[in-house]
Amino acid sequence: MKQMAFTYQSGLSSESVTLQNKIEMAEEIKDTSVISIKNLNVKTKDGDILKNINLQIPKNKIIVLLGPSGCGKTTLLKSLNRLTDLHKELKVSGQIIIDGQDIMKAGQNLSAMRQRMGLLSQRPFPLPASIYKNVAYGLKLKGIRSKKLIAHSVETNLKRVGLWNEVKDRLKSPATSLSIGQQQRLCLARGLAVKPTIILADEPTSALDPISTKIIENLFKDLKQHYTIILVTHVLRQALRLADHVVFMYYGEIIEQGHPDDILKNPKTAILKKYLVDGN
Amino acid sequence: MNRWKIIEEWFFKIISFIAAYSVVLILLYLLIVVFNKGIGALSWEIVFSMPKGGYYFGGGGGILNAIVGSFYLSLGATVLAVIIGLPAALFINVQLIRLKRTQNTIRFFLDALWGIPSIVYGAFGFAVMLFLGLNASLLAGIITVALLITPILVRAFDEVLKTIPVELQEASYSLGSTRTETALKVLFKQGFAGFITALLLAFGRGIGDAASVLFTAGFTDNIPVTLDEPVATLPLSIFFQLSSPIEEVRQRAYAAAVILTVIILIISVSARLLSKRYSKNIIK
Ligand SMILES: Nc1ncnc2c1ncn2[C@@H]1O[C@H](COP(=O)(O)OP(=O)(O)OP(=O)(O)O)[C@@H](O)[C@H]1O
Ligand SMILES: [Mg+2]
């Protein structure tokens, strides 16, 4: 807890910047990757789900995770904000360093760590509350009490996902009264409201119609100026449209990665070649 | 070939039709018999007045003592059961989410408790009552009925919580909630409609059970003012009136049965309505 508060402060107030911090900050600027995964293993008693994953994720880019069903994309995503903790049967080992901190270390302030990442799942799961409260929820958890501040943030974030005009007259209605596409945008707004720096998106458009899909895709393109986005998708064309970097996984391992134009158009491995042919 | 398919189709249609409607018919028949026998003795007096002297031998008055007593007792028991049951159900589903085997063991024991006949709870409550030095009283009755309905309530709450998608919990955690916040602000709200239904059904079970209160709640012609006074209940009131040699009193037993049935019907219908009203916010 203390350690977290300290790191947060170091960026804000010059007084608390020690020499050690200056060095760390300098390194951070040089090393543009926000997330650095080292030797990540996720096992169950039946076998390995993720095998020795090593991955550097650069800042303010869209990274697409690609691979056949069951290859461990969701598990990798959930390891990043330690939702894997919810499943005792999963044994997670290795290092995940986000903004210089190993999130795997015990004693982390999990809430603050998770708030640095917004999560979008395959299907939208709005909280059982009104549209307004869905966006306000994370803010209240952060200890923000000011009604004005909350109202302002709700409006800003709903505008950001292009939902404001559609819902501004019915903020008090249940979130479930929205269409699925609207709900997914609401879930994005809800995640953005807690001011994350990373967005984890697990096939966020697979339940959406083409128009809602397009809205989400365009949002992602805008958002990457300020956020690092890790996107799981099965749609190769979506990967081509959005990705700055593509990671191809197969049976819990990273087989190939690189710029989408390289790896999707000139795959090196036979496995990826086959996947691309079958997928198209 | 095609003809056989059609015959088969018809055959199963008729079977399921008969099965479904016979259940409804039996229920209707039961209601008709009880109402038919009881309606003659049903009056404002029986609902709204206390038994007068010699009531069980044909004297005047009503069974207000038992109606109010039953409400006191079931209400007390339900409150007690919720105080124990809701945290228990949340505990099973939130804290133990990673320990599937422990969860299932607990569920197994709760189901076993559910199956124990209520007379056994009555006998157990009686033993506890003697051990604690209590008399047959409202308090002893409340404790015993709470013992009876707590497992029912925990399992009903548990079933509600089980249907809540894991992804909703994940959404809550990823917004930064702790376990307690997830339990109270997300799971509790998502399950609210189901909880209300479970609550009313447990209340209904409590209000209708005779065996558990037989030794523990006692019986009285008054409405208890304190917890250590005995309390009358509708099921026992029906039992005593039905045991009377006097025809008129036995008729009143059916009137009391009508009242109990109507109370239970009101509870079921309100459970439906409330759960409809409160489920508008939740994802299905
Ligand atoms: N809690 C768990 N317990 C046991 N096995 C699990 C658990 N979670 C995931 N797995 C297994 O791990 C493997 C990877 O699952 P994961 O959900 O990460 O795949 P995925 O790449 O996201 O697939 P999809 O594209 O179908 O979503 C699967 O074989 C799955 O059965
Ligand atoms: Mg997946």
Side-chain angles (χ1 to χ4, degrees):
Chain A
M1 180 76 201
K2 269 212 177 113
Q3 204 197 337
M4 295 286 295
F6 179 68
T7 336
Y8 276 150
Q9 260 180 5
S10 64
L12 299 172
S13 90
S14 56
E15 281 158 17
S16 60
V17 178
T18 61
L19 184 63
Q20 175 66 33
N21 266 314
K22 274 185 187 156
I23 295 167
E24 276 175 14
M25 280 167 69
E27 271 172 359
E28 235 173 64
I29 295 163
K30 249 195 288 166
D31 178 13
T32 49
S33 59
V34 261
I35 305 178
S36 149
I37 302 171
K38 291 178 186 160
N39 302 325
L40 179 71
N41 281 287
V42 177
K43 298 177 199 282
T44 63
K45 62 177 191 318
D46 304 324
D48 299 355
I49 299 179
L50 291 180
K51 295 172 213 160
N52 215 25
I53 299 286
N54 285 287
L55 185 63
Q56 303 292 322
I57 295 174
K59 204 174 179 145
N60 297 357
K61 292 271 166 8
I62 299 181
I63 282 71
V64 166
L65 300 181
L66 212 60
S69 184
C71 71
K73 305 177 297 289
T74 300
T75 310
L76 179 57
L77 218 55
K78 283 182 184 171
S79 308
L80 292 177
N81 67 352
R82 282 186 56 181
L83 283 178
T84 39
D85 283 23
L86 299 183
H87 306 275
K88 178 77 175 277
E89 67 274 14
L90 300 179
K91 299 265 180 293
V92 185
S93 64
Q95 275 189 322
I96 298 175
I97 296 164
I98 298 180
D99 287 335
Q101 287 178 320
D102 186 357
I103 61 145
M104 305 292 288
K105 291 251 168 67
Q108 283 275 356
N109 182 342
L110 271 181
S111 297
M113 187 276 281
R114 286 185 177 138
Q115 287 188 332
R116 284 151 69 188
M117 288 169 248
L119 178 76
L120 265 190
S121 47
Q122 205 163 346
R123 217 153 64 72
F125 283 92
L127 302 171
S130 67
I131 297 170
Y132 185 92
K133 283 190 177 155
N134 260 274
V135 187
Y137 183 79
L139 298 166
K140 287 186 184 146
L141 288 181
K142 275 194 149 182
I144 297 170
R145 292 276 168 276
S146 154
K147 284 219 169 93
K148 235 178 162 177
L149 258 171
I150 293 177
H152 179 255
S153 170
V154 170
E155 185 175 337
T156 327
N157 286 295
L158 286 174
K159 276 181 178 160
R160 273 172 107 175
V161 299
L163 206 55
W164 178 251
N165 284 329
E166 290 158 56
V167 302
K168 63 170 186 266
D169 299 321
R170 50 170 178 147
L171 291 169
K172 291 234 164 67
S173 3
T176 43
S177 66
L178 297 172
S179 75
I180 298 291
Q182 290 173 323
Q183 286 182 25
Q184 191 66 306
R185 280 184 281 152
L186 178 70
C187 289
L188 183 57
R190 164 182 87 180
L192 293 178
V194 295
K195 297 207 161 94
T197 54
I198 298 163
I199 294 170
L200 309 173
D202 195 353
E203 300 178 44
T205 59
S206 62
L208 305 187
D209 63 289
I211 293 173
S212 308
T213 301
K214 187 139 200 207
I215 296 177
I216 295 268
E217 283 187 9
N218 288 337
L219 271 169
F220 277 10
K221 281 186 201 154
D222 288 345
L223 288 170
K224 80 171 181 189
Q225 293 173 16
H226 306 284
Y227 301 88
T228 304
I229 300 171
I230 304 169
L231 170 72
V232 174
T233 182
H234 279 294
V235 187
L236 291 174
R237 262 181 264 133
Q238 186 171 56
L240 270 172
R241 281 194 295 266
L242 296 178
D244 295 303
H245 190 84
V246 174
V247 176
F248 175 69
M249 294 173 66
Y250 193 78
Y251 280 107
E253 284 175 290
I254 295 178
I255 302 289
E256 231 184 297
Q257 54 174 306
H259 193 273
D261 288 341
D262 295 336
I263 104 162
L264 296 182
K265 291 184 178 149
N266 302 304
K268 290 189 196 74
T269 56
I271 304 172
L272 179 54
K273 266 181 204 150
K274 187 165 182 334
Y275 178 78
L276 293 177
V277 171
D278 293 349
N280 279 325
Chain B
M1 179 70 201
N2 226 344
R3 179 178 295 168
W4 273 112
K5 275 246 156 84
I6 293 169
I7 293 173
E8 205 178 275
E9 192 84 340
W10 267 102
F11 181 71
F12 282 107
K13 236 182 202 166
I14 289 166
I15 293 265
S16 46
F17 181 87
I18 292 172
Y21 281 91
S22 56
V23 173
V24 176
L25 280 181
I26 291 168
L27 179 70
L28 273 181
Y29 183 64
L30 185 146
L31 287 178
I32 288 168
V33 169
V34 172
F35 271 82
N36 201 21
K37 287 204 165 200
I39 209 87
L42 201 60
S43 64
W44 292 121
E45 192 190 7
I46 202 168
V47 181
F48 289 111
S49 60
M50 307 285 283
K52 301 214 172 85
Y55 177 81
Y56 299 95
F57 302 98
I63 52 163
L64 185 66
N65 62 327
I67 296 175
V68 175
S70 267
F71 265 102
Y72 280 4
L73 196 115
S74 307
L75 202 66
T78 309
V79 169
L80 196 60
V82 170
I83 292 174
I84 304 165
L86 187 57
L90 284 171
F91 181 80
I92 297 171
N93 283 279
V94 181
Q95 305 293 336
L96 300 182
I97 184 173
R98 312 186 302 175
L99 304 172
K100 293 277 177 300
R101 197 173 305 158
T102 317
Q103 277 186 335
N104 287 333
T105 314
I106 294 177
R107 285 183 182 134
F108 172 78
F109 279 109
L110 286 169
D111 286 345
L113 283 175
W114 190 334
I116 291 175
S118 61
I119 187 74
V120 178
Y121 282 99
F124 177 71
F126 186 60
V128 171
M129 188 181 95
L130 293 184
F131 177 77
L132 294 176
L134 293 171
N135 292 318
S137 60
L138 181 56
L139 181 63
I142 284 177
I143 294 174
T144 312
V145 174
L147 286 173
L148 172 75
I149 63 177
T150 301
I152 300 176
L153 207 62
V154 176
R155 277 299 271 131
F157 283 173
D158 178 45
E159 285 299 322
V160 173
L161 289 170
K162 250 171 52 179
T163 61
I164 299 179
V166 188
E167 289 91 338
L168 188 64
Q169 289 195 48
E170 291 180 347
S172 165
Y173 284 116
S174 69
L175 289 169
S177 353
T178 60
R179 290 201 167 179
T180 320
E181 284 160 347
T182 302
L184 295 180
K185 294 186 180 157
V186 177
L187 300 190
F188 179 72
K189 273 185 139 179
Q190 171 79 12
F192 193 71
F195 293 152
I196 294 276
T197 313
L199 206 94
L200 286 173
L201 293 180
F203 182 86
R205 176 81 208 269
I207 211 168
D209 194 72
S212 57
V213 290
L214 192 56
F215 308 116
T216 52
F219 200 81
T220 169
D221 282 351
N222 302 310
I223 292 171
V225 184
T226 59
L227 280 173
D228 59 356
E229 286 173 48
V231 60
T233 48
L234 271 171
L236 288 191
S237 171
I238 295 171
F239 174 71
F240 289 135
Q241 294 175 83
L242 213 50
S243 332
S244 167
I246 299 159
E247 170 64 29
E248 198 193 328
V249 179
R250 286 209 298 273
Q251 259 206 1
R252 286 186 196 159
Y254 283 100
V258 169
I259 295 170
L260 184 56
T261 312
V262 168
I263 292 174
I264 303 268
L265 285 179
I266 291 176
I267 291 172
S268 318
V269 171
S270 20
R272 287 222 146 206
L273 293 179
L274 280 173
S275 90
K276 218 177 196 171
R277 169 152 170 24
Y278 285 107
S279 58
K280 69 174 201 299
N281 250 341
I282 68 177
I283 31 175
K284 274 161 229 144

